[in-house]
Amino acid sequence: MHRSNFITRLRVALAMAAAIAMPGAASADAQLDKMRAKVAAFIAEKMEKLGGSRVVYRVDTDGLREAVVAELRDDVYKTLREGRIAFSGLAIRDGRVEVNIPDAKGREQLTRKLASAAEGLPTHALAVTGSGDGLIRLAPTEAASAARLHELVDDCIAMIEQRLKDAGVTLASVQPEGTDRIRIFLPGMTEPERITAIFARKVKVSFRQVDLSMPAEQAQRGAPPDGTEVLLGIKDNKPYLVAKHSALDGDDISYAGPGFASGTKEPVASFRFNGRGTRRFAHITSENVGKPFAIVLDDKVVSAPEIREPITGGSGQISGNLTLEEANSIAMMLRAASLPGRLGLVEQQVVQPAAKP
């Protein structure tokens, strides 16, 4: 095989490795691992010949623990309210969720429902302890915490691959290192700070109300109303007059991924909110039926659908003549915005080519 063709195929392979597996692809994870292994082997060979940059990041394990416990508290609150279980003192203390439930049947009902929700989900297994006076404490098991960390590292790797691809960096290897670190090799690149600059800030996602008091084009030419600004569409540069204040942000997203619309089968980016986001989104959509609502990614409007009815299920879709690659890219940015904490830079260095024998 011609060398340039081989490099081209591996570049395509790296781009494919950044994609999220579509539903129904049973062996997608195994195929992705094999693809990454092939890319890593090729990149290692290129690093020996060309040298390049080595960058190591550490995921924010403290931020992950805080996010997981906060999510657990929201789940406990939702379960208690839906089950009409009397309680008091729901709080986070020492990395655990505490709640006082005087009625023994209420305590049993809570733990049973939480256990049922976690069934088959290793990342959601709980350790529950009680003091005998109605106070119970809940926390993720060690195995669940380890599974969550593994999941976070995988999400970060996918996000890094996608953002490198979006930045035009197609020749790179992104691999886990230990339990909480991620290693990036970039053959031929002698300025690692160019790469670290890409990840120096967190992706900013916001959900904002669209102002209909005046045409966006008029606001763009003159002065927009107080509390608003004009942002452009991510694909068509169409102006949108939106509120400066964000009604929801990326921290409220619990999941995002590409998929296909059920009716048209067109590519979409689907997302789902956490408990807090679900409640806020339900309130916002109930108050603004018939009005457009902008989804903004890094100050670019990716979609501004009209709210047709209250959305109480906590999920939505971004559509609008997207390619599958665009849907995947948008979903990855939404996931990046919801990742707990930030990537911490551990090391960046220039690697010299191996000496010739």
Side-chain angles (χ1 to χ4, degrees), residues 209-279:
Q209 292 180 315
V210 176
D211 191 310
L212 301 176
S213 64
M214 66 187 303
E217 292 80 3
Q218 181 181 343
Q220 190 177 30
R221 292 191 300 267
D226 290 342
T228 68
E229 62 181 335
V230 176
L231 299 180
L232 301 179
I234 198 168
K235 288 191 69 175
D236 55 9
N237 279 330
K238 175 184 174 181
Y240 293 85
L241 182 60
V242 301
K244 287 184 178 180
H245 173 71
S246 174
L248 283 166
D249 58 35
D251 291 338
D252 293 309
I253 297 172
S254 63
Y255 166 82
F260 298 95
S262 57
T264 62
K265 302 301 181 184
E266 66 172 339
V268 297
S270 300
F271 59 89
R272 184 168 61 248
F273 290 113
N274 58 21
R276 180 184 65 178
T278 295
R279 292 190 295 272

Side-chain angles (χ1 to χ4, degrees), residues 16-148:
M16 290 172 61
I20 299 174
M22 292 290 101
S27 60
D29 288 342
Q31 291 175 353
L32 190 60
D33 289 342
K34 288 181 180 179
M35 188 71 71
R36 282 183 174 146
K38 289 181 180 179
V39 173
F42 175 72
I43 295 299
E45 178 186 341
K46 299 298 289 183
M47 287 288 289
E48 282 191 19
K49 292 182 178 180
L50 302 176
S53 293
R54 179 178 186 268
V55 179
V56 178
Y57 282 103
R58 180 180 180 273
V59 300
D60 186 356
T61 53
D62 291 336
L64 173 63
R65 280 192 292 269
E66 291 175 4
V68 168
V69 175
E71 180 184 309
L72 175 58
R73 178 200 56 202
D74 289 347
D75 289 343
V76 169
Y77 177 79
K78 180 181 178 182
T79 303
L80 292 170
R81 296 290 292 182
E82 290 179 349
R84 298 183 178 181
I85 302 170
F87 70 95
S88 63
L90 177 61
I92 295 175
R93 292 188 181 89
D94 300 324
R96 298 177 296 185
V97 175
E98 293 186 355
V99 62
N100 194 295
I101 304 175
D103 182 47
K105 289 184 178 179
R107 295 194 294 272
E108 181 185 352
Q109 183 180 349
L110 172 65
T111 54
R112 186 175 64 251
K113 286 193 174 184
L114 290 175
S116 176
E119 187 175 355
L121 298 173
T123 55
H124 288 66
L126 295 176
V128 182
T129 57
S131 59
D133 58 356
L135 180 67
I136 61 174
R137 298 180 176 90
L138 307 98
T141 64
E142 290 187 10
S145 296
R148 282 286 186 119

Side-chain angles (χ1 to χ4, degrees), residues 18-20 159 162-163 165-166 203-207 233-235 250 253 255-259 267-271 295-298 300-304 316-338:
I20 299 174
M159 180 271 291
Q162 182 65 50
R163 294 188 75 178
K165 179 174 174 289
D166 290 344
V203 176
K204 182 181 178 183
V205 175
S206 58
F207 296 78
I234 198 168
K235 288 191 69 175
I253 297 172
Y255 166 82
V268 297
S270 300
F271 59 89
I295 303 170
V296 181
L297 177 63
D298 278 345
K300 289 283 188 178
V301 177
V302 295
S303 181
Q317 291 182 341
I318 298 174
S319 59
N321 199 29
L322 299 175
T323 65
L324 183 57
E325 184 176 6
E326 288 169 339
N328 178 64
S329 180
I330 290 171
M332 187 56 62
M333 292 301 100
L334 292 176
R335 286 169 68 86
S338 65

